[in-house]
Every structure is written in C-alpha cells, then in structure tokens.
Amino acid sequence: MKNKEKNTAISVKNLHITYRGLKKTSIRASWTKLKNKVEVFEALKGVSFDVEEGKILGIIGKNGSGKSTLLRAIAGIFSPDKGSIDLHNHTISLLSIGVGFNKKLTGRENIYLSGMLLGFSEEEIKAKEKEIIKFADIGDFINKPVKTYSSGMYSKLAFAITAILETDIMLIDEVLSVGDTRFKEKSYNKMKELISDDKRTVIIVSHSLGTIVELCNEVLWLNDGKVIEIGDPKEVVEHYNKYMNENG
C-alpha cells in the first residue's frame, strides 16, 4: 500500500492563533483608569486540513475570517498559539502585498534579499535576475527604493520574484487582482503555467470566486476563524454565495 504521507505537501492540525492588543479608550477614560484592558481576538480557532502535493487549494471567506492570517502562519511569519503546521520538507514562498520587501532597498536589491530568504543562492538568483526584471516590467524603478513604488509596481515585482524563483509550495494572497489589465493577464497566464506542474502545490486566497473555481482543485471556506466546508470548488462557492446572500 502506498504511503499517503509521502504525497502530502501541507498538514495543518488544530491551528489556533490569537492577537492581543489594547482596547480603544477615550482620553478621559485613560485618565480615570491607569490600565487599559487587553483585548483578545481569536483569528484562527482549531483549523485543520491537508493539501496533497501538486494540488491547488483556494481559500475563501468574508473579510476578517482569518484567510491572510492562515497563509502567514503556513509561511512561518506567524507562530501558532496551539496546533501544528508541517510542510514535509518542501520549500515555500508567500506572495502578498506588503510582505517580504525592505522598502529602503532598491527593487534589484530586493530580488536578491527575497531570493535568499527563500533559500536560493546568490548564483541561482543571478541566473534568474534578468528574467525577473523583464517579467516585472517596471522600467528604471528596478534601481529605485521600493518605498517609491505604487502598489501596482510592488505587486509586479513581488509576483515576478515568486513566479521565476519557483518553490515547491506557493502561497498567493490576492495579488492576481492587482496591477494593470495587461499585467493581470500576464500574471494569470503565468500562474496557470506554474500550477500545471503536478509537483507544485499552491494555495490561493482571493475574493475573485471565478478565479478560484477555474484554478483550484479544492476550496476551503473560512468564517470567523473556523473551517465551514472544504471540498469541490463549485459546490463550496455555491454554498458560500448562498450564505453571503442570506447574511450579508
């Protein structure tokens, strides 16, 4: 009998992540109360699922449901308060606006920084540098600090780095909908090319339900930090749409 464990790319078990912060209080209240109470928000509440190697999992849910928190946890940016994440020795990259760049460095310098953080050598990155710059297509801005970039330029470079420096697992957070029309089409086509590799595992978070249904083998629906349903893309999206129509 074939060991199923060998075909598993990602295992998430009973994942809990909690944010802690100070409650908002008025100035008068802060004078009368020397201590502000700590507010606790449970972003993920016992999330469990597996993703097989080579599969494309879509994650849907309303804003605040825990989608981006889940991706960042899988990428190793957030540490679980409880539970576990096992990547089964696969390399991983997270493609998300606002994550991964040093804004004081130039785009070219960030290519090397991001690549090294992904585990690539300087020689491997250098071999792909021209291809990354050509795909990003941001002109002379490649030699300017990332802090001068628009969100569109940021997403172009971030996508180019992740798409050209291919990892075993790709996590994509809403960036397919960012940028001009031509780049959206180019990045969408590149994504279809990347995920056609039966060894590459992809998780996509998107509000574009049409994209989710077309690209994904399976869809996970998160709501208020809990898994509501995981299964066939068309069925899960249909149930999600019905819920949203009934509950706003």
Side-chain angles (χ1 to χ4, degrees):
M1 182 180 290
K2 193 173 182 179
N3 189 348
K4 187 178 180 181
E5 188 72 12
K6 290 182 179 179
N7 293 326
T8 302
I10 305 169
S11 300
V12 177
K13 303 297 181 188
N14 194 33
L15 189 65
H16 290 257
I17 292 181
T18 301
Y19 296 130
R20 293 172 178 84
L22 295 178
K23 288 184 177 180
K24 294 180 180 179
T25 59
S26 68
I27 294 176
R28 178 174 293 180
S30 66
W31 285 342
T32 58
K33 297 180 180 179
L34 296 178
K35 292 184 179 179
N36 284 317
K37 293 183 178 179
V38 174
E39 186 173 33
V40 176
F41 171 70
E42 291 185 87
L44 296 175
K45 309 169 184 175
V47 171
S48 297
F49 63 93
D50 293 321
V51 185
E52 289 183 10
E53 186 179 276
K55 297 297 185 182
I56 302 99
L57 174 70
I59 300 180
I60 61 174
K62 62 184 180 181
N63 290 333
S65 61
K67 303 185 300 296
S68 293
T69 297
L70 177 56
L71 281 200
R72 282 160 173 74
I74 295 171
I77 296 172
F78 294 161
S79 297
D81 293 299
K82 184 180 178 182
S84 65
I85 300 169
D86 189 349
L87 302 180
H88 302 277
N89 297 316
H90 292 90
T91 59
I92 190 166
S93 59
L94 169 64
L95 184 52
S96 176
I97 299 303
V99 173
F101 285 166
N102 183 325
K103 294 186 179 181
K104 293 181 181 180
L105 300 181
T106 67
R108 189 184 300 271
E109 290 168 331
N110 270 291
I111 291 174
Y112 283 85
L113 175 62
S114 298
M116 288 177 180
L117 289 173
L118 291 174
F120 293 91
S121 69
E122 186 173 349
E123 290 74 21
E124 287 172 325
I125 301 166
K126 187 174 182 60
K128 297 282 189 177
E129 180 184 356
K130 288 183 180 179
E131 188 178 354
I132 292 169
I133 292 172
K134 181 179 179 181
F135 192 96
D137 193 21
I138 59 174
D140 292 338
F141 275 95
I142 194 67
N143 294 312
K144 294 182 180 180
V146 168
K147 65 183 179 182
T148 66
Y149 288 15
S150 67
S151 61
M153 286 188 288
Y154 191 109
S155 71
K156 285 181 177 183
L157 182 58
F159 185 91
I161 292 170
T162 304
I164 306 302
L165 295 176
E166 302 172 10
T167 54
D168 300 327
I169 300 171
M170 295 178 65
L171 310 177
I172 303 164
D173 192 359
E174 287 292 355
V175 294
L176 291 179
S177 61
V178 179
D180 55 65
T181 302
R182 188 174 70 86
F183 188 79
K184 284 179 185 178
E185 182 177 355
K186 183 166 72 169
S187 61
Y188 185 79
N189 289 335
K190 183 63 175 179
M191 183 53 53
K192 289 178 73 174
E193 175 190 326
L194 288 172
I195 64 181
S196 66
D197 184 341
D198 61 7
K199 292 294 183 182
R200 181 167 294 108
T201 307
V202 182
I203 298 182
I204 301 174
V205 165
S206 180
H207 287 290
S208 174
L209 300 180
T211 298
I212 290 289
V213 170
E214 181 176 352
L215 293 181
C216 299
N217 307 116
E218 200 168 36
V219 170
L220 184 151
W221 169 16
L222 273 182
N223 190 57
D224 293 332
K226 296 181 179 180
V227 176
I228 302 300
E229 186 178 2
I230 183 168
D232 177 77
K234 288 184 178 179
E235 290 183 7
V236 177
V237 167
E238 182 181 341
H239 297 161
Y240 171 71
N241 279 329
K242 182 179 179 182
Y243 170 84
M244 291 301 293
N245 288 334
E246 293 174 351
N247 296 276

